[in-house]
Amino acid sequence: MASAGDSSNLTGFRAELKAIAYKTYTFFEDYTDQNTGLTYDEVRHTENGTEEAKRTSPTNIAMYMMSTVSAQQLGIISKKEAVQRLQTTIHSLEKLEKWNGLFYNWYNTDDGSVKKDWGQFIPQVDNGWLSAGLIVVGQAYEELHRETSKLVENMNYTPLYDPEVGQFRGGYDVAKGALTDHHYGMFYTEPRVGSYIAIGKGDVPQDHWWKMYRTLPQEWDWQAQIPQGKSVKYDGVDVFEGSYVYKDIKFVPSWGGSMFEALMPGMVIKEKELGTQALGLNNQRHVELQIEYAKEKGYAAWGFSPSATPTGYSEFAATPLGTSGYKDGATVTAHATFLALDYAPEAVRKNIKALKNFKMLGKYGFYDSVNVETGELAKAYLALDQGMIMVSIANYLQDDVIRDYFHSDVIGQKPEELLKKEVFFIQ
């Protein structure tokens, strides 16, 4: 039975999360173009003033849209304002240049033109997030459903799929007229949201889910560990259910060992609820092991994931959790903490306090990262990371609201059986 102290702690924590959400959403209010409804990629405070990166990606657009739904659910803005904001964005999306209904990787926020100096690329992973955002908006607001559904329906993932391998290519280079050489082969990484949606839409066959690597094959000896496990048949496909071990705990690795590869898809997909023996359980392990890794290193805070640095952007991770680990760099990012809310709320509460001790809290919520050895801050706010924080808080405080919207759509419902039936080799 919870004590009165526990209860007041929890009430205080909920209030603290809501206060963080208020600050975080102010970023989207101040740095989304009023005419186009497109959010700036990044805003950075430097000695020379504020630098605003007036470009946006399909993922950034999705994060703004889902953050706006989250803000309304948390009582930060009215339904009327949310719908008006989202209508502006949707009207821009309808006009943006596309390829097979899929969106380019970068657009200018002022007029929605393709940012051609950054390449003309059609990314699988970013489009997956944009589809997810549109699905959530269409379920949250009936008056927008027709427009969002049409956009999602027109997003044709089939041209990015390699049926011979059963995996997606990374994307398509429009200027070269060629798909990338590489595939998204690893299952436990953030592109799985696009895989889930493409299956839900019927753009790719259901067996695609089983043709991604849980761990890489044992004979690929360059990987961080040689996985142990067994082959299991799902829907007629042999799947090697392998695992790694860290701190005597089994887990399925991500590519780099970062938090958003592990937990970002679970912002919309009900992995914890439906994947109790696979994805949900593995998400729990990744949270626990990220915390353990920080303890082992003697760091005062945890949460390792790609983030801004004082001079740019870099990939950070709890290295042992990856197949080809990103570096550690003693750099902790705030979004990694909030992604863990559903799995370790008490640890998150304590870590938020640790991040505040590093002077990470600013006008728009948390600065993007801190080096926990030097205390040096990356005084930047990224639309992607702000969005992960907003959606994570809304899901936690409003009983999975964003996930519920996603799974209310037939696209979100159709692949649910795939989540339920799998058993990872980590029991």
Side-chain angles (χ1 to χ4, degrees):
M1 197 169 143
S3 69
D6 290 339
S7 175
S8 64
N9 260 352
L10 186 62
T11 307
F13 183 41
R14 293 177 72 86
E16 181 181 23
L17 290 173
K18 194 163 180 182
I20 291 165
Y22 264 94
K23 278 177 170 272
T24 304
Y25 193 69
T26 309
F27 166 83
F28 291 104
E29 291 176 317
D30 287 1
Y31 295 111
T32 298
D33 188 287
Q34 288 188 336
N35 298 318
T36 63
L38 302 177
T39 303
Y40 303 174
D41 180 45
E42 177 188 331
V43 174
R44 190 177 278 269
H45 299 306
T46 70
E47 289 168 3
N48 305 321
T50 303
E51 292 175 4
E52 302 169 358
K54 296 185 181 182
R55 59 178 181 262
T56 201
S57 69
T59 301
N60 289 342
I61 297 166
M63 291 299 129
Y64 169 61
M65 291 195 300
M66 290 196 287
S67 293
T68 299
V69 177
S70 299
Q72 192 240 311
Q73 287 292 323
L74 292 166
I76 296 169
I77 59 172
S78 67
K79 182 185 174 186
K80 184 181 175 186
E81 183 182 340
V83 170
Q84 284 174 340
R85 285 180 167 278
L86 292 164
Q87 268 174 334
T88 303
T89 306
I90 289 163
H91 291 158
S92 287
L93 288 170
E94 289 168 341
K95 292 183 282 198
L96 293 184
E97 191 180 331
K98 306 171 193 68
W99 177 85
N100 287 297
L102 298 172
F103 292 77
Y104 285 74
N105 56 341
W106 293 106
Y107 295 90
N108 294 303
T109 52
D110 57 349
D111 61 2
S113 59
V114 174
K115 189 170 169 52
K116 292 191 172 164
D117 56 328
W118 277 40
Q120 296 178 57
F121 189 67
I122 309 295
Q124 185 267 7
V125 65
D126 288 85
N127 275 286
W129 280 109
L130 184 51
S131 292
L134 287 163
I135 289 166
V136 167
V137 167
Q139 292 298 321
Y141 307 108
E142 202 178 323
E143 54 268 62
L144 300 176
H145 184 261
R146 190 179 58 80
E147 294 157 287
T148 58
S149 291
K150 190 175 177 191
L151 282 163
V152 174
E153 197 180 309
N154 290 338
M155 294 173 79
N156 182 7
Y157 287 91
T158 310
L160 299 181
Y161 186 65
D162 183 344
E164 286 183 29
V165 179
Q167 296 172 356
F168 272 107
R169 301 277 187 176
Y172 179 79
D173 189 318
V174 179
K176 287 183 187 168
L179 291 160
T180 58
D181 290 334
H182 75 275
H183 294 85
Y184 281 138
M186 289 287 289
F187 178 61
Y188 198 62
T189 54
E190 73 276 17
R192 71 181 178 273
V193 82
S195 292
Y196 188 92
I197 288 166
I199 291 168
K201 287 186 72 215
D203 288 359
V204 303
Q206 189 170 295
D207 67 6
H208 159 54
W209 195 250
W210 308 119
K211 292 188 174 178
M212 290 177 280
Y213 299 120
R214 271 55 187 171
T215 56
L216 297 176
Q218 288 173 306
E219 57 270 21
W220 294 14
D221 61 3
W222 52 264
Q223 61 185 302
Q225 294 185 31
I226 301 303
Q228 301 304 308
K230 56 189 176 184
S231 278
V232 181
K233 243 188 184 41
Y234 295 102
D235 300 331
V237 180
D238 278 322
V239 178
F240 175 59
E241 291 285 6
S243 61
Y244 281 11
V245 178
Y246 174 60
K247 298 277 182 183
D248 296 324
I249 294 170
K250 287 183 182 179
F251 64 96
V252 172
S254 65
W255 175 253
S258 70
M259 198 69 107
F260 80 40
E261 294 170 284
L263 298 186
M264 193 180 173
M267 295 194 315
V268 292
I269 302 173
K270 292 186 174 180
E271 295 181 343
K272 183 182 180 187
E273 182 184 323
L274 301 177
T276 54
Q277 299 187 85
L279 283 169
L281 177 60
N282 205 51
N283 292 346
Q284 181 80 47
R285 297 275 165 92
H286 273 253
V287 171
E288 288 167 3
L289 292 175
Q290 279 245 354
I291 295 168
E292 279 300 313
Y293 179 75
K295 272 187 197 159
E296 182 183 38
K297 288 279 191 175
Y299 295 157
W302 54 269
F304 309 93
S305 203
S307 58
T309 64
T311 55
Y313 185 84
S314 194
E315 292 161 334
F316 300 104
T319 308
L321 305 187
T323 290
S324 177
Y326 298 148
K327 64 182 184 292
D328 159 2
T331 297
V332 159
T333 182
H335 75 256
T337 297
F338 291 89
L339 285 173
L341 262 170
D342 288 317
Y343 294 95
E346 182 56 26
V348 168
R349 189 177 69 81
K350 288 176 181 167
N351 210 47
I352 288 171
K353 191 176 178 185
L355 297 180
K356 286 180 174 177
N357 289 341
F358 278 111
K359 306 283 188 285
M360 276 188 87
L361 197 60
K363 181 180 178 183
Y364 299 110
F366 283 92
Y367 289 126
D368 207 52
S369 76
V370 63
N371 182 309
V372 290
E373 287 181 340
T374 66
E376 188 178 20
L377 294 167
K379 289 195 173 179
Y381 299 101
L382 275 57
L384 166 64
D385 298 357
Q386 297 287 88
M388 285 191 267
I389 291 169
M390 276 301 295
V391 173
S392 297
I393 292 174
N395 272 329
Y396 182 72
L397 292 181
Q398 300 293 326
D399 300 325
D400 293 350
V401 63
I402 302 300
R403 293 183 199 103
D404 282 345
Y405 283 136
F406 181 74
H407 281 263
S408 297
D409 192 287
V410 68
I411 294 169
Q413 288 163 15
K414 196 175 153 190
E416 285 179 355
E417 280 304 312
L418 300 173
L419 299 172
K420 292 177 188 171
K421 71 172 67 168
E422 185 164 14
V423 180
F424 281 178
F425 186 67
I426 60 172
Q427 308 299 318

